[in-house]
Amino acid sequence: MFEGAQGALLDIDHGTYPFVTSSSATSGGAVTGTGVGPTSIGTVIAVTKAYVTRVGEGPFPTEIHDESATLIRARGQEYGAVTGRPRRCGWLDLPLLRYSNMINGTEWLVVTKMDVLDQCAEIPVCIGYKINGKATDLIPADMRGFEAIQPVYTTLKGWGSSTEGITEFEKLPKAAQEYLHFVERETGAKIGMISTGPERDQTMTLPEFEEALKA
């Protein structure tokens, strides 16, 4: 099993160049970095927060500029692990997530920090973009396109109650379940794990995912 570091959009080849790292942060990096042949990799599991964050400069179409960002940053402890810099926070960006799934070959998603959104009455989710007035659900190929993005949102109902520490999907508030089902439908990847807090025992593994791992 190989564990990657850094987000897919920081990949030197497939990320938001020039705001990238110096290596391959996608699943393909496991092949080039270890010498293991690509046919030996059977399953790709991607990790995404229930929202989006970014440290430092670079394009961020769904960045939040009001008090919601302060709330999410405080509840999610969104500060750089080394520098302590506040992370930029934004709403979930489905075109970016679909792109990440495509370049990584993602089969399963792990959705973290669901509990951070517990106090949101409404949760906007970016479902597409307008670029120079034209609608699209694909990310731009260069920085000029990112600079012209206008996110198109749909708004989902918040659940308004604590999910912290819940470890069974059926015990999540109905609106939280709907949020996850929506993400699953819109991204084409199955959700296998969900975290509802920072501790190891605050993570649930869904039965279908467990069966797939055993196989």
Side-chain angles (χ1 to χ4, degrees):
M1 182 172 69
F2 301 114
E3 179 184 1
Q6 307 199 60
L9 273 297
L10 294 178
D11 186 274
I12 191 169
D13 294 310
H14 305 292
T16 51
Y17 188 86
F19 301 99
V20 294
T21 188
S22 58
S23 59
S24 177
T26 55
S27 59
V31 175
T32 57
T34 65
V36 170
T39 56
S40 297
I41 296 178
T43 302
V44 177
I45 303 167
V47 180
T48 178
K49 294 174 184 175
Y51 49 95
V52 186
T53 59
R54 182 160 196 158
V55 174
E57 297 182 7
F60 196 166
T62 63
E63 185 172 7
I64 306 169
H65 297 285
D66 59 24
E67 63 276 4
S68 296
T70 303
L71 173 67
I72 290 173
R73 188 177 298 112
R75 288 183 56 79
Q77 289 296 295
E78 295 295 355
Y79 300 93
V82 176
T83 64
R85 274 193 302 176
R87 295 190 181 109
R88 297 159 66 193
C89 297
W91 303 117
L92 192 63
D93 188 325
L94 292 179
L96 283 185
L97 188 50
R98 284 192 292 262
Y99 174 74
S100 173
N101 288 346
M102 178 185 71
I103 62 176
N104 284 289
T106 301
E107 183 177 355
W108 293 94
L109 283 174
V110 177
V111 179
T112 66
K113 297 197 170 187
M114 277 293 291
D115 57 300
V116 174
L117 301 180
D118 285 351
Q119 295 182 10
C120 296
E122 295 181 331
I123 304 172
V125 178
C126 176
I127 56 173
Y129 306 133
K130 281 188 176 179
I131 301 177
N132 297 323
K134 295 181 179 180
T136 180
D137 59 0
L138 301 175
I139 73 168
D142 57 28
M143 282 304 301
R144 286 177 300 175
F146 273 102
E147 290 167 355
I149 279 180
Q150 291 179 289
V152 177
Y153 290 101
T154 189
T155 301
L156 303 181
K157 184 180 179 181
W159 39 95
S161 60
S162 177
T163 62
E164 186 172 359
I166 294 177
T167 56
E168 295 179 38
F169 185 84
E170 294 74 17
K171 293 184 178 180
L172 288 170
K174 187 69 174 177
Q177 295 182 35
E178 292 289 340
Y179 184 83
L180 292 165
H181 285 313
F182 181 79
V183 171
E184 195 171 53
R185 287 195 306 269
E186 292 294 320
T187 61
K190 295 170 285 188
I191 294 177
M193 297 178 71
I194 305 154
S195 81
T196 55
E199 303 301 327
R200 186 182 295 269
D201 61 1
Q202 293 176 316
T203 300
M204 67 182 80
T205 304
L206 303 189
E208 186 181 358
F209 185 52
E210 288 184 338
E211 290 301 316
L213 292 181
K214 290 176 183 176

